[in-house]
Amino acid sequence: MGKQMTEMLKGTLEGIVLAILAAQPAYGYEITARLREQGFTDIAEGTVYALLVRIEQRGLVDVAKVPSEKGPPRKVYTLNAAGNSYLAEFWNTWSFLAERIGHLHRNNHSQEKGE
Amino acid sequence: MGKQMTEMLKGTLEGIVLAILAAQPAYGYEITARLREQGFTDIAEGTVYALLVRIEQRGLVDVAKVPSEKGPPRKVYTLNAAGNSYLAEFWNTWSFLAERIGHLHRNNHSQEKGE
DNA sequence: ACCACTACATAGTAACACTGAGTACACGAA
DNA sequence: TTCGTGTACTCAGTGTTACTATGTAGTGGT
């Protein structure tokens, strides 16, 4: 993966995964697959599992072990109240940053074109 | 500063500073001030200077020492060709990420409202 | 018996922003 | 003259994060 993307994912990947969980509960392997569907093709499995361990330890999710037909039991993660409020904070932070950077982006582009 | 913002700035602060330099050359103290104007009120001076050292070592900027009326000489940073192409790459990475996350954001919100 | 797919776990590494402190120059007030 | 304030840059140490690489294990097909 590009080094820029790696660095940029720091802080945002967590929010991305929480947002996926907000849509519906999911387990690690499934989350990895969903990320790949969404265009994040190069995110390693290990990265996702490590992140899930973190958000579990912080109490942002509830965990349930569910047997699988095709392999070891799944750990299904569900966003709880704390996770929801943390996610809401994430959206605030993201919105602020995206707005500021979007502003810079537009300025840079108009400059390139000599506007 | 919020912990989320700290983590989210990883990888993006560099692009933000390069974008500021793309608009016009500047020195460290000035860049810090400009960041504060743009709403990044809690970015420490030390953070900016460390970042400037990095981008100088990577050859993304040219540096000129200019005497100041009010203090030590200034190190004025100018974005060079390498810096410009690196910045272009940054915008690509950012656009991809912003689009993907924006998509998640809209989905989450429409879900909250039950749409 | 072997392989592919599913599913999770983890030790070690690199990169980055922050904290907190320090150095140094200019200038005006006390 | 000394002190404070604003300007301007530097740096060691810390915490957090995503990546790499590898390992463990269950299921089903050939």
Side-chain angles (χ1 to χ4, degrees):
Chain A
M1 187 159 34
K3 190 169 148 290
Q4 283 189 344
M5 182 59 92
T6 292
E7 291 307 320
M8 228 181 268
L9 281 175
K10 288 183 182 177
T12 56
L13 182 57
E14 186 175 274
I16 292 169
V17 169
L18 291 178
I20 288 175
L21 291 179
Q24 57 177 305
Y27 53 96
Y29 193 82
E30 185 186 8
I31 292 169
T32 304
R34 205 157 293 178
L35 285 170
R36 296 200 203 286
E37 281 167 28
Q38 308 225 347
F40 299 102
T41 52
D42 292 323
I43 292 181
E45 269 191 273
T47 299
V48 175
Y49 287 112
L51 196 162
L52 290 172
V53 167
R54 279 205 302 277
I55 63 177
E56 181 184 354
Q57 281 174 349
R58 287 203 211 128
L60 305 179
V61 288
D62 295 330
V63 186
K65 220 154 207 173
V66 177
S68 162
E69 321 83 40
K70 294 182 164 190
R74 297 163 173 168
K75 281 181 76 176
V76 175
Y77 294 84
T78 308
L79 206 63
N80 60 23
N84 261 304
S85 87
Y86 188 86
L87 179 58
E89 221 186 294
F90 170 80
W91 286 131
N92 282 339
T93 308
W94 168 260
S95 299
F96 175 81
L97 192 62
E99 207 217 325
R100 296 289 83 214
I101 293 183
H103 190 243
L104 279 168
H105 197 178
R106 285 189 294 279
N107 282 2
N108 268 200
H109 272 26
S110 61
Q111 190 190 339
E112 274 168 25
K113 295 178 198 158
E115 291 168 10
Chain B
M1 186 158 36
K3 190 171 146 290
Q4 284 189 341
M5 183 59 94
T6 293
E7 293 306 320
M8 229 183 267
L9 281 174
K10 289 185 182 177
T12 57
L13 183 56
E14 187 176 272
I16 292 170
V17 169
L18 291 177
I20 288 175
L21 290 178
Q24 59 177 306
Y27 54 96
Y29 193 82
E30 186 186 8
I31 292 170
T32 304
R34 204 156 298 177
L35 284 170
R36 295 200 202 285
E37 283 167 24
Q38 308 226 346
F40 300 101
T41 52
D42 294 322
I43 292 181
E45 270 190 275
T47 299
V48 175
Y49 287 112
L51 195 160
L52 290 171
V53 167
R54 277 204 305 274
I55 65 177
E56 180 183 356
Q57 280 173 348
R58 287 202 211 131
L60 304 179
V61 288
D62 296 330
V63 186
K65 221 155 205 172
V66 178
S68 161
E69 321 85 40
K70 294 183 165 187
R74 295 164 174 168
K75 281 180 77 174
V76 175
Y77 294 85
T78 308
L79 205 63
N80 60 23
N84 260 304
S85 86
Y86 189 86
L87 179 57
E89 221 186 297
F90 170 79
W91 286 132
N92 283 339
T93 308
W94 169 259
S95 299
F96 174 81
L97 193 63
E99 207 218 324
R100 295 291 80 210
I101 294 184
H103 189 244
L104 278 169
H105 198 177
R106 284 189 295 279
N107 281 3
N108 267 203
H109 271 31
S110 60
Q111 190 191 339
E112 274 169 26
K113 293 177 199 159
E115 291 170 9

